[in-house]
Amino acid sequence: MSTADPADTAAAASAAAVPPAGPAAGYGGLPGGIGVSRLRVYDWPAADGLRGGTPHIHLTCSEGYAVTGGRGAVQTLTASGFQQTALAPGALVWFTPGTIHRLVNEGGLTVVVLMQNCGLPEAGDAVLTLPPRLLADPAAYRAAVALPEGGTEEELERAARRRRDLAVEGFAELRSATEAGDPEPLAAFHRAAAALVRPLVGAWRERWRDGAAAAASATAAQLDELEKGGADHLAQARLRAELPSAHGRFGMCGRLDVYDIG
């Protein structure tokens, strides 16, 4: 049995990575250019009696949940309507951009979150379902969703709970209108969300180019090489290991262990 420190092992693995010699050598991030985090879903009760996280939407990223512990559900809202999907250990659930989602914790719910575009959902591609009065003004929205920089644990929790409760309020209104057959409130939320993120799209494009697009290009180059009978890229194989770069960070849906895998 090895007695090596895991942190030393991870550092050595990263240091030993061989720089790629060309496009076919491959993409060094996680498969497909995804991001990953470990999430312990909030158990704070909301106004409707349910415990859980903050309803929100992603505009360019699919997201998946691999449930590792506890039980709960994910509530989703799209133009097709409201849906609730049970979550239990072993469940794998994913959804595409435009799906408003809310995690409900029925006891110890823990998931591994798989995110498109190198974790962009936790790096900007998320708009909370706040009431319309806060969505219309970018400054008001930013103030409502921000956590206090350098705040104490108690201050961070209060701010995270406050924005969660505002988002649940807005989510309830959107769900009620959609189920009543009125599509306009949801469409208005989509327009407001797009307007809020528009200034960020240039930076997102760079993240996509360096991540998912680079991963796809590397596969194309490898296929080209193999088709010609070559195998030079196999000599550039490398391993990388990472431990979480942060533990218990306050996220939208719960406490996050995050990984720096850029």
Side-chain angles (χ1 to χ4, degrees), residues 28-135:
L30 282 174
I34 67 167
V36 63
S37 64
R38 179 174 180 268
L39 172 67
R40 297 180 296 281
V41 179
Y42 294 133
D43 64 357
W44 308 327
D48 59 3
L50 298 177
R51 298 174 179 270
T54 307
H56 60 281
I57 192 173
H58 305 305
L59 289 86
T60 65
C61 295
S62 292
E63 186 171 87
Y65 299 143
V67 183
T68 58
R71 293 190 177 273
V74 58
Q75 296 183 337
T76 55
L77 183 65
T78 68
S80 298
F82 173 83
Q83 185 173 347
Q84 180 159 306
T85 304
L87 299 177
L92 180 62
V93 176
W94 67 96
F95 42 85
T96 59
T99 304
I100 298 174
H101 48 289
R102 175 196 185 188
L103 280 170
V104 176
N105 188 352
E106 297 171 358
L109 184 59
T110 304
V111 303
V112 173
V113 184
L114 308 173
M115 298 164 286
Q116 196 174 359
N117 295 318
C118 301
L120 184 56
E122 289 175 2
D125 183 10
V127 174
L128 279 55
T129 55
L130 302 188
R133 67 182 184 277
L134 296 172
L135 293 169

Side-chain angles (χ1 to χ4, degrees), residues 27 69 124 141 195 231:
Y27 170 72
Y141 176 83

Side-chain angles (χ1 to χ4, degrees), residues 23 43 54 73 80 83 90 93 96 110 124 143 145 147 158 161 183 193 200 204 215 218 227 236 254 256 258:
D43 64 357
T54 307
S80 298
Q83 185 173 347
V93 176
T96 59
T110 304
V145 303
L147 300 181
R158 281 198 300 271
R161 292 187 70 156
L200 308 174
W204 293 2
E227 198 168 43
Q236 298 296 320
L256 291 167
V258 299

